[in-house]
Amino acid sequence: MELLVYLNGDLIPRSQAKLSPFDHGFLYGYGLFETMRAYGGSIFRLDRHLARLRQSSEVLGIAPRLTSFNLRRACYDVLQSNKLVEARLRLTVSAGEGDIIPDLATSSGVTVFIVAQKLVPLPPEKYEQGFNTILSSLRRNSQSPLSRLKSTCYLESVLARQEARSAGADEALLLNEQGLLAEGSANNIFLVSSGTLVTPPVESGVLSGITREAILELSQCSGIEVVEGEVELGELVKAKEAFLTNSILEVMPLTRFDDRPIGSARPGVLTQRLMSAYRALVKKET
């Protein structure tokens, strides 16, 4: 059976999904997206993903164009029509078709596209081994509003990930223009230092990840001291443990940086504790 996708209110076969070459999402990357994970047919924290999307759409000036779409229902329609239980979903919205000049006023509609695919998680052995990371040559701009949006202008992250692949690493970490640690190409980063959980603040050019938010909540509820503060790269090298977070990976131990071990080069005690707590939270909410 061919995969069904959602495009502007309709569920259609993937082969029939067509976008205009004049879509400003294609011409200028004028759009947003959310990546979500479904467990047992339930999309984890969908409402928070949609809230972030709507807030970002206000920044882009396309929020009024989305009011006629029931995005929550559409996400579940895609999931259920494809009979998916464990899945990865991507919701993309753009400013729609317009003129070839970079002017939002030339477009009046919006493009809404949703696709879901079966998700096969990384094997448990990978979580036991952890990720090996490198430092990207690219930089996040903490002064740009784009650093706070999950925008379809994603080239910076794609290039950083290509750097990691070329180096034989799992992921690339990015500094901001001030030389401070920001995040991974597609994930947030946490460090453990002297028993304290440390993560760069949004002001460092960091996307406020949904999984990041969950880890902060779990830590506070568990009495784990958390600091959102500027992080020097040297602090990562000296950290006792570290991990990365996003909706698909959940909590991934970060055990090596530039082929140097972080801590014992194995998942740390606090990391493992939060991995378990996160999975318990997912089970509870889904």
Side-chain angles (χ1 to χ4, degrees):
M1 177 181 173
E2 186 175 0
L3 184 72
L4 296 176
V5 301
Y6 176 97
L7 181 60
N8 292 335
D10 297 315
L11 283 171
I12 58 177
R14 174 177 174 170
S15 61
Q16 296 179 22
K18 310 296 181 185
L19 296 179
S20 168
F22 293 93
D23 192 297
H24 277 208
F26 170 71
L27 290 175
Y28 300 110
Y30 204 111
L32 304 162
F33 74 99
E34 291 289 330
T35 301
M36 299 158 284
R37 183 167 171 177
Y39 301 80
S42 180
I43 305 170
F44 181 63
R45 297 210 161 180
L46 173 58
D47 289 344
R48 301 204 187 190
H49 280 282
L50 295 181
R52 182 173 67 179
L53 180 76
R54 290 192 180 95
Q55 289 169 2
S56 298
S57 70
E58 291 175 1
V59 176
L60 295 191
I62 60 174
R65 306 182 186 186
L66 291 172
T67 56
S68 62
F69 292 90
N70 186 334
L71 297 179
R72 179 183 176 83
R73 182 66 265 162
C75 287
Y76 273 104
D77 284 346
V78 172
L79 192 67
Q80 293 163 4
S81 65
N82 288 290
K83 297 181 173 57
L84 292 169
V85 177
E86 307 298 320
R88 175 191 186 118
L89 295 92
R90 172 170 164 139
L91 162 61
T92 307
V93 302
S94 80
E97 185 175 359
D99 204 340
I100 59 171
I101 61 176
D103 185 352
L104 180 63
T106 68
S107 69
S108 58
V110 67
T111 296
V112 178
F113 174 70
I114 307 172
V115 60
Q117 297 176 326
K118 181 179 179 181
L119 176 68
V120 180
L122 290 174
E125 295 77 29
K126 190 60 184 178
Y127 288 86
E128 295 169 5
Q129 176 187 355
F131 266 15
N132 175 32
T133 57
I134 63 163
L135 182 64
S136 172
S137 64
L138 299 153
R139 296 290 180 268
R140 290 284 193 244
N141 181 0
S142 66
Q143 303 305 305
S144 171
L146 289 180
S147 67
R148 295 163 177 77
L149 303 179
K150 202 167 180 67
S151 156
T152 54
C153 300
Y154 213 59
L155 187 56
E156 196 173 73
S157 291
V158 172
L159 292 175
R161 181 162 289 192
Q162 288 179 352
E163 287 182 328
R165 184 172 298 158
S166 296
D170 297 299
E171 177 59 294
L173 303 180
L174 290 86
L175 305 178
N176 64 19
E177 82 287 355
Q178 301 174 55
L180 297 168
L181 188 61
E183 57 189 354
S185 71
N187 39 63
N188 295 117
I189 184 170
F190 288 81
L191 283 61
V192 178
S193 179
S194 301
T196 299
L197 191 63
V198 182
T199 192
V202 171
E203 291 75 18
S204 284
V206 171
L207 178 71
S208 183
I210 303 301
T211 308
R212 175 184 183 271
E213 178 185 78
I215 291 300
L216 292 174
E217 292 173 7
L218 289 168
S219 299
Q220 292 165 358
C221 291
S222 302
I224 299 170
E225 183 179 359
V226 181
V227 173
E228 292 184 71
E230 295 180 344
V231 179
E232 300 279 353
L233 184 60
E235 294 178 56
L236 173 63
V237 178
K238 297 176 183 177
K240 295 298 182 183
E241 48 186 295
F243 58 88
L244 304 170
T245 62
N246 70 25
S247 294
I248 303 302
L249 286 176
E250 300 181 331
V251 179
M252 172 59 72
L254 198 170
T255 54
R256 301 190 71 84
F257 173 68
D258 278 344
D259 282 328
R260 291 177 290 176
I262 294 176
S264 65
R266 303 294 297 174
V269 173
L270 189 54
T271 298
Q272 294 182 69
R273 178 180 170 186
L274 288 169
M275 289 171 70
S276 297
Y278 183 80
R279 288 168 181 167
L281 178 65
V282 168
K283 184 175 181 180
K284 176 183 177 182
E285 294 191 5
T286 58

